[in-house]
Amino acid sequence: MDMSAAPRMPTETRSLGNAIGSELLLRRLRRLVSLNGAEINLVLSLNEGAKTHGPGSMICPKADGSPHPRLIASGWACRPRILPDGRRQMLNVLLPGDLIGDRGERRPLAMNPAVALTTVRSISASKLYDALLSKPDEYPQLCAALGRIDRMQESHLLDHIVRLGCQTALQRTAHCLLELHARLEAIGFTHDGTFPMPLTQETLGDLLGLSLVHVNRIMAQLKRDSLIRIRSGVAIVEDFTALALLADRVDPTSRGAPEH
Amino acid sequence: MDMSAAPRMPTETRSLGNAIGSELLLRRLRRLVSLNGAEINLVLSLNEGAKTHGPGSMICPKADGSPHPRLIASGWACRPRILPDGRRQMLNVLLPGDLIGDRGERRPLAMNPAVALTTVRSISASKLYDALLSKPDEYPQLCAALGRIDRMQESHLLDHIVRLGCQTALQRTAHCLLELHARLEAIGFTHDGTFPMPLTQETLGDLLGLSLVHVNRIMAQLKRDSLIRIRSGVAIVEDFTALALLADRVDPTSRGAPEH
DNA sequence: CGAATGCTTGACTGCGGTCAAACGATGTGG
DNA sequence: CCACATCGTTTGACCGCAGTCAAGCATTCG
């Protein structure tokens, strides 16, 4: 995870086993809707323009003009906002199976540069969006599912606001870890409470609006209280209900739509 | 601004001078694009389903199913999220000329209930979106402008995250007040640094993730330093550049698209 | 006039930031 | 193989921003 030793990727690589990125997306989509054959084929046909991005490098540089849509095949990324005084605030975490870049709408979040946190492999998703934009009627369920993914992302953004606005460091951390767990579960990356957690405590701090040191204290507390522990890039949830209770702030009257 | 004395609005009222809501929206749109005759007529024809909502009442109850799109003709509203312990976090502030409710996409933010902060008058915008959805080709510039308004709203959400995540109370407040100024300017509600500011300090606190008491201290400081002062519902910017300098966190490399 | 609502102020506390140092892994080059 | 750098984690001491509690003021309104 050293940025110096992995210099100036991105590097074009042949698409070897890179198709697993599209399978990831497919798995995620099929949890939301039932796709027809054409839709499945379209998703699975995504394997062009594979790139590898070293940690710290931009995945989706807006450069001049729209960054083409891409699918994260593996690795973690985020969308940072950097303040003049050097502080960072993460808007977002991007996981395998997430789609990034512009899809013709130039939405601000989509236009925000994405930065690789680990080594990230990505493939082009232009073909997908071109197909959907040109003949959406052939892919009804696919459109619906991608829309729902978009909505979930927006929902996470709102959650993020609530976290940062009025939760303590402990609550924030718990809530965020549960969100990551849920999102990773949707792509089959969890095994009864265990999930990959490559985020540095510093990065977690930038995400949660906390200092590195305080994140460490919170993690120590969570470990001490046997709620969750993270070691060598793997998180282990030890008390799910307690963690949810700590993080929870569900209020039925203030929730958005029940299903995304 | 008393919730008890203005009981259980909404009340259906005849559309008297309510058409000014559509003129507001039109003014805003024309700053973004140049509309053709059909587009102008469509916007100005919005005058149906006028309602008045007392402070504290819901404007856009999701009830069961999609809340119909509405245009805020006058007054201020917000989208609160309420936590089980009673804390509130505002996701958003809604000003005259803002569109709320679902437009068929069921976006989480749009689905979130909106609550009137002052007395709010609103009119139905269903006609607008019905027309745009059925024959978008007839209203190209209108579609573009509404898209840009959507994007600006999303951009403000991201700004909100950065504010809450890594700015001090003073910076947050300054930044938020400048955002309100800019948004009110777009509808012609400012007069050289003066603009209506009906938000309670408590509400501002819920918006900025601060306590009522601390908001007060910050406002006192801003007044003492002759940056901005608020009295009897009116804000007066006294030192624009100092305020911007205080709030500013523009970083060219981390900005979204230059124009929304 | 009293009641309600919002603003203002003071005293105290504590969550979380900052500074500083040390420790453990991992990796690299001599 | 060891010396050394680098990166991430951990810990302690200290401090300050912002929250909480508690009054007291100012308006407005009935």
Side-chain angles (χ1 to χ4, degrees), chain A residues 15 38 53 62-63 65 101 168:
Chain A
S15 47
H53 315 262
K62 65 174 182 309
T168 68

Side-chain angles (χ1 to χ4, degrees), chain B residues 5-106:
Chain B
R8 291 322 95 199
M9 309 269 195
T11 304
E12 285 278 355
T13 54
R14 257 69 49 223
S15 48
L16 22 154
N18 273 328
I20 67 161
S22 53
E23 279 172 21
L24 256 182
L25 177 59
L26 184 65
R27 190 186 310 177
R28 197 173 165 196
L29 293 167
R30 298 185 90 167
R31 295 204 178 196
L32 300 175
V33 298
S34 63
L35 302 173
N36 67 36
E39 293 172 320
I40 293 174
N41 286 336
L42 175 57
V43 172
L44 286 180
S45 72
L46 297 176
N47 56 5
E48 292 168 352
K51 283 187 187 173
T52 302
H53 314 262
S57 66
M58 278 198 190
I59 297 178
C60 198
K62 66 173 182 309
D64 45 336
S66 309
H68 290 185
R70 302 188 66 76
L71 170 63
I72 295 183
S74 70
W76 289 35
C78 69
R79 299 191 213 259
R81 270 280 231 282
I82 296 160
L83 280 68
D85 62 2
R87 286 179 165 287
R88 280 197 313 175
Q89 177 61 49
M90 305 303 188
L91 304 175
N92 227 0
V93 175
L94 298 164
L95 306 180
D98 277 344
L99 290 154
I100 61 177
D102 184 42
R103 60 206 65 174
E105 297 176 355
R106 302 194 126 259

Side-chain angles (χ1 to χ4, degrees), chain A residues 21 29 36 42 52 55 64-65 68 86 105 128 138 147 150 160 170 192 199 207 219 245 249 257:
Chain A
L29 293 167
N36 66 38
L42 175 58
T52 301
D64 45 335
H68 290 186
E105 297 176 355
L128 175 64
E138 292 184 23
D150 268 2
H160 202 35
L170 198 64
D192 49 57
L199 294 189
L207 180 65
M219 296 311 303
L245 198 66
R249 37 154 220 254

